[in-house]
């Protein structure tokens, strides 16, 4: 046998005798060959039938080689030729094929037969690169990858990574949980970037190798290697508010109700609100409070001077949320009698 070329630049390699029970790290398909026999007929004509005797999962998915598959061959005795269409990868393990040859083989009558086996193993592991941060208040200055990769990318196929929030392992070795990424599991993903994680929390990922083939209905199918051992890690996020409202606008100490983007993860963290005069960056008031299960309420002194003000909200950090500053300032306007929000179009461009 030899490996099937999977693109125009891939070397198929030499024919390897199955008597040696070779092992391959290759998911792109396999050519089964045999040596032409001396049939005694014109041009050495003979028939050859190939049958898939065993595959790793015990259920061959080789629609192009439905038994009995029989073709005519002609040529010089001793020359190695294909016995039939390529075998497609359908899992790690042992593949066994039987080739039958005869001058008048009718595809149902066994001729001279020979059986051989080869094995395929292409392990892929899930590799965590850096510390994933779901949202970064300060985006990185370069394109350095952070997330989970499947490594190595298996020859002739692709790595496939799957991650789950608060994950557990299914019987097939894949992961499941409160949320699973990627959302579309119809094709392999070599990596999951930090932006792909849907929320901060504890995530579990596993990886495998995938070879593309066809099923019995001739539809595209994915055949995978066993899933790797899972890895578990924390996905973090910078703080970002989800809502903001002000109560007691006419009082001397208005109260700001602040909701976090991730309320459960923010619980127990301290929020501090500092109010600055617009354009001058002069601090005029401040207040702080601790997040509860839903929101926090921060009281600040209402500015005496009428005008525009900017509220900057900082967060002390929790297990999943980093110490950070909300990237969206609170745009405020004060009069002699009240303090409230103002639209961005009305706020001065300093």
């Amino acid at each position: 046998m030899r490996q099937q070329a999977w693109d125009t630049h891939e070397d198929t390699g030499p024919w390897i005798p199955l008597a040696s029970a070779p092992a391959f790290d290759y998911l792109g398909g396999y050519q089964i060959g045999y040596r032409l026999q001396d049939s005694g007929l014109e041009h050495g004509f003979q028939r050859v039938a190939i049958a898939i005797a065993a595959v790793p999962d015990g259920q061959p998915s080789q629609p192009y080689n439905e038994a009995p598959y029989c073709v005519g061959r002609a040529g010089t005795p001793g020359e190695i030729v294909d016995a039939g269409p390529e075998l497609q990868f359908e899992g790690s393990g042992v593949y066994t094929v039987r080739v039958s040859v005869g001058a008048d083989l009718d595809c149902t009558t066994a001729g001279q037969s020979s059986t051989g086996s080869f094995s395929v193993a292409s392990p892929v592991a899930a590799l965590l690169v850096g510390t994933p941060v779901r949202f970064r208040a300060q985006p990185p200055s370069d394109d350095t990858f952070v997330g989970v990769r499947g490594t190595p990318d298996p020859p002739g196929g692709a790595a496939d990574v799957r991650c789950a929030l608060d994950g557990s392992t299914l019987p097939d070795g894949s992961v499941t949980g409160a949320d699973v990424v990627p959302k579309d599991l119809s094709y392999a993903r070599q990596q999951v970037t930090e932006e792909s994680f849907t929320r901060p929390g504890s995530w579990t990922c596993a990886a495998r190798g995938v070879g593309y083939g066809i099923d019995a209905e001739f539809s595209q199918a994915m055949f995978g290697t066993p899933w790797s051992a899972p890895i578990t890690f924390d996905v973090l996020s910078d703080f970002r508010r989800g809502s903001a409202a002000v109560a007691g606008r006419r009082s001397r100490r208005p109260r700001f109700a602040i909701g976090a983007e991730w309320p459960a993860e923010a619980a127990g963290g301290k929020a501090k609100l500092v109010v600055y005069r617009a354009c001058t960056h002069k601090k005029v008031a401040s207040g702080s409070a601790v997040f509860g299960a839903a929101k926090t309420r921060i009281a600040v002194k209402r500015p005496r001077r009428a005008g525009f003000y900017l509220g900057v909200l900082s967060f002390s950090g929790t297990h999943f949320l980093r110490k950070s500053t909300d990237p969206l300032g609170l745009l405020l306007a004060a009069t002699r009698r009240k303090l409230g929000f103002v639209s961005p179009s009305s706020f001065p461009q300093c």
Side-chain angles (χ1 to χ4, degrees):
M1 66 154 296
R2 65 183 180 183
Q3 63 190 35
Q4 170 72 15
W6 62 284
D7 69 26
T8 57
H9 303 291
E10 188 72 15
D11 183 8
T12 60
W15 289 105
I16 299 175
L18 290 187
S20 64
F24 291 87
D25 176 12
Y26 186 76
L27 309 186
Y30 320 97
Q31 294 177 348
I32 304 300
Y34 84 103
R35 293 187 184 277
L36 288 172
Q37 306 298 301
D38 186 358
S39 68
L41 299 180
E42 186 178 4
H43 305 299
F45 181 81
Q46 55 204 266
R47 294 188 183 277
V48 56
I50 183 171
I52 314 303
V55 293
D57 64 1
Q59 298 178 333
S61 299
Q62 304 286 340
Y64 288 123
N65 282 294
E66 284 293 335
Y69 186 89
C70 185
V71 294
R73 290 284 188 256
T76 303
E79 178 186 357
I80 300 177
V81 297
D82 293 337
E86 68 173 277
L87 271 64
Q88 66 184 14
F89 169 78
E90 54 172 301
S92 296
V94 177
Y95 295 72
T96 302
V97 296
R98 184 175 63 252
V99 176
S100 301
V101 181
D104 57 354
L105 191 66
D106 61 5
C107 299
T108 58
T109 302
Q112 297 180 9
S113 299
S114 180
T115 300
S117 299
F118 65 95
S119 61
V120 178
S122 189
V124 176
L127 175 66
L128 176 64
V129 181
T131 300
V133 179
R134 172 64 180 84
F135 163 72
R136 294 181 184 268
Q138 294 293 331
S141 58
D142 55 27
D143 295 327
T144 301
F145 172 81
V146 178
V148 177
R149 280 186 171 138
T151 184
D153 216 13
D160 186 24
V161 178
R162 192 173 301 176
C163 300
L165 176 64
D166 297 325
S168 59
T169 303
L170 291 171
D172 67 354
S174 63
V175 294
T176 188
D179 198 1
V180 175
V181 294
K183 298 294 186 183
D184 183 0
L185 303 178
S186 63
Y187 63 98
R189 307 292 180 90
Q190 194 269 337
Q191 60 188 27
V192 174
T193 63
E194 63 178 0
E195 298 88 355
S196 300
F197 294 104
T198 54
R199 61 180 300 130
S202 177
W203 285 80
T204 299
C205 298
R208 63 174 178 170
V210 164
Y212 289 95
I214 57 173
D215 59 20
E217 285 72 40
F218 291 89
S219 298
Q220 187 182 60
M222 289 194 307
F223 299 97
T225 67
W227 289 95
S228 69
I231 59 172
T232 300
F233 54 91
D234 290 341
V235 173
L236 308 179
S237 179
D238 285 342
F239 177 84
R240 185 165 51 181
R241 74 175 188 271
S243 62
V246 60
R249 292 184 299 166
R250 295 179 180 275
S251 71
R252 291 186 177 182
R253 293 184 63 84
R255 298 181 307 280
F256 286 85
I258 306 294
E261 180 182 19
W262 310 111
E265 288 73 15
K270 183 179 180 180
K272 181 178 181 180
L273 177 62
V274 179
V275 178
Y276 299 92
R277 185 179 299 279
C279 301
T280 67
H281 204 67
K282 179 181 179 180
K283 178 180 175 180
V284 297
S286 66
S288 62
V290 175
F291 272 96
K295 296 181 178 181
T296 189
R297 289 173 171 78
I298 304 174
V300 298
K301 185 178 179 180
R302 177 163 55 89
R304 292 182 178 182
R305 287 182 56 180
F308 293 98
Y309 295 85
L310 176 67
V312 177
L313 186 67
S314 59
F315 184 71
S316 65
T318 58
H319 182 82
F320 291 116
L321 299 184
R322 302 195 301 181
K323 180 180 180 180
S324 50
T325 299
D326 184 4
L328 300 176
L330 281 71
L331 307 183
L332 307 170
T335 66
R336 294 182 60 187
R337 295 185 177 182
K338 65 180 179 179
L339 175 69
F341 292 108
V342 66
S343 69
S345 59
S346 300
F347 200 79
Q349 302 297 314
C350 302

